[in-house]
Amino acid sequence: MALAFHASRFGEGGSPFLSPRRVAELLGVTLSELAALIGVARNTLAAKTGARKVDAALSPVVRILTMAGEMSGDERRAAIWFKHQPIPGWAGKTAYDLVREGKADKVLAYLEAVRSGVYA
């Protein structure tokens, strides 16, 4: 999915960049918690010069939330799943846990497999 599509849903005020505030609100976390989740300094989230870095770090989270939202039919359900539902085969870890460990690619691969019917 194109980043422009994600920016339209998770952007703010016509900016071409993703909005950390909107993602944090959807997930029900503080900006500090979001910064820790995506591996950037809290100050980087607000700095205009950090917009590209934040976009790159937020992009996998937004892709996961978008895919999970499409599968569940609702962004709020996707956010709840992201934070609370353990992913099979990952010792009780959630998507949130895996993203925090730098394994967003594993979560995306899992969602692709589910969407393809592998785990259905």
Side-chain angles (χ1 to χ4, degrees), residues 5-119:
F5 173 74
H6 296 313
S8 70
R9 286 177 67 188
F10 291 96
E12 193 163 30
S15 169
F17 298 108
L18 299 170
S19 168
R21 185 189 61 75
R22 287 198 54 194
V23 176
E25 285 175 2
L26 177 63
L27 291 175
V29 298
T30 66
L31 286 173
S32 295
E33 291 168 323
L34 181 64
L37 173 68
I38 63 174
V40 300
R42 165 66 175 90
N43 294 342
T44 305
L45 292 181
K48 297 252 185 253
T49 56
R52 290 192 194 285
K53 180 179 183 178
V54 171
D55 235 33
L58 264 181
S59 181
V61 173
V62 169
R63 288 177 57 211
I64 290 166
L65 290 171
T66 300
M67 190 180 296
E70 289 168 355
M71 293 167 68
S72 70
D74 180 70
E75 284 183 350
R76 295 277 170 212
R77 280 190 203 154
I80 291 167
W81 170 86
F82 182 86
K83 287 178 65 181
H84 301 289
Q85 182 64 45
I87 295 177
W90 286 98
K93 292 183 180 180
T94 64
Y96 187 96
D97 298 328
L98 293 172
V99 168
R100 191 176 49 221
E101 293 174 7
K103 297 177 180 160
D105 59 325
K106 303 298 185 194
V107 178
L108 287 164
Y110 168 75
L111 289 172
E112 275 297 333
V114 170
R115 187 161 60 180
S116 300
V118 173
Y119 292 104

